[in-house]
């Protein structure tokens, strides 16, 4: 029962350090450079230099807190006019992060491009597979049931 509370305390330190760093995205006076849901984290920054500063801050704070980020489960995705340009590699825990054309976060599939867009086809496939599974198990059941 103590684990979620401890994780929240530790991750709050990471987010606070990102906020005080001053890089990332801001909407008016609200900091949106770091979005969290449980242990899933998104870092949002308008520049690759700022993004690398954010990654470095996360790594340094994690070392202090005896935490570790998994670079194998992390990747980068670009949006905007220059998304098709070759972007310099980002580094997390001395590992290079891959720039991907499609990223998944909390079931949403983000598509890299000039604008923020989503791919809904995986959700549609999953829905149709669930429907077909239900139909295949109920095809011999009496109509009244």
């Amino acid at each position: 029962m103590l684990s979620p509370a401890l994780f929240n305390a530790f991750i709050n330190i990471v987010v606070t350090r990102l906020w005080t760093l001053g890089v990332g995205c801001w909407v008016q006076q609200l900091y949106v450079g770091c979005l969290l849901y449980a242990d899933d984290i998104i870092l949002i920054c308008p520049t690759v230099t700022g993004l690398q500063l954010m990654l470095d801050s996360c790594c340094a704070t994690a070392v202090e807190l005896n935490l570790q980020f998994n670079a194998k489960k992390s990747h980068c995705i670009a949006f905007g006019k220059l998304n098709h340009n070759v972007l310099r590699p980002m580094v997390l825990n001395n590992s290079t992060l891959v720039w991907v054309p499609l990223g998944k976060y909390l079931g949403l599939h983000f598509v890299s491009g000039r604008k923020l867009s989503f791919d809904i086809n995986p959700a549609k496939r999953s829905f149709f597979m669930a429907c077909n599974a239900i139909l295949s198990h109920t095809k011999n059941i009496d109509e009244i049931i």
Side-chain angles (χ1 to χ4, degrees):
M1 287 190 350
L2 190 57
S3 181
L6 286 175
F7 178 78
N8 286 338
F10 283 118
I11 205 68
N12 187 53
I13 296 169
V14 174
V15 174
T16 302
R17 292 216 179 141
L18 288 170
W19 177 75
T20 57
L21 192 61
V23 293
C25 285
W26 296 79
V27 176
Q28 295 180 357
Q29 303 299 321
L30 180 66
Y31 181 66
V32 292
C34 181
L35 304 177
L36 300 160
Y37 183 81
D39 64 345
D40 291 329
I41 303 169
I42 288 185
L43 299 179
I44 305 171
C45 193
T47 65
V48 290
T49 305
L51 181 59
Q52 187 60 61
L53 285 172
M54 292 174 78
L55 290 169
D56 294 342
S57 175
C58 286
C59 288
T61 307
V63 167
E64 289 176 30
L65 299 173
N66 203 21
L67 297 174
Q68 193 172 18
F69 289 101
N70 189 348
K72 292 178 183 175
K73 291 184 175 182
S74 304
H75 53 271
C76 299
I77 188 167
F79 303 100
K81 292 184 250 181
L82 302 177
N83 75 309
H84 60 280
N85 288 359
V86 177
L87 300 170
R88 72 179 174 104
M90 299 285 99
V91 177
L92 177 68
N93 292 335
N94 297 320
S95 298
T96 303
L97 298 181
V98 180
W99 286 94
V100 295
L102 223 144
K104 183 180 176 187
Y105 182 72
L106 301 178
L108 294 173
H109 294 261
F110 295 90
V111 180
S112 178
R114 289 182 60 85
K115 297 179 180 178
L116 177 63
S117 61
F118 304 95
D119 182 9
I120 62 166
N121 289 321
K124 286 172 43 178
R125 277 193 300 274
S126 178
F127 173 75
F128 287 125
M129 285 187 334
C131 288
N132 286 334
I134 291 169
L135 288 174
S136 70
H137 292 308
T138 59
K139 64 182 176 185
N140 294 328
I141 294 179
D142 189 2
E143 190 174 312
I144 296 173
I145 294 174

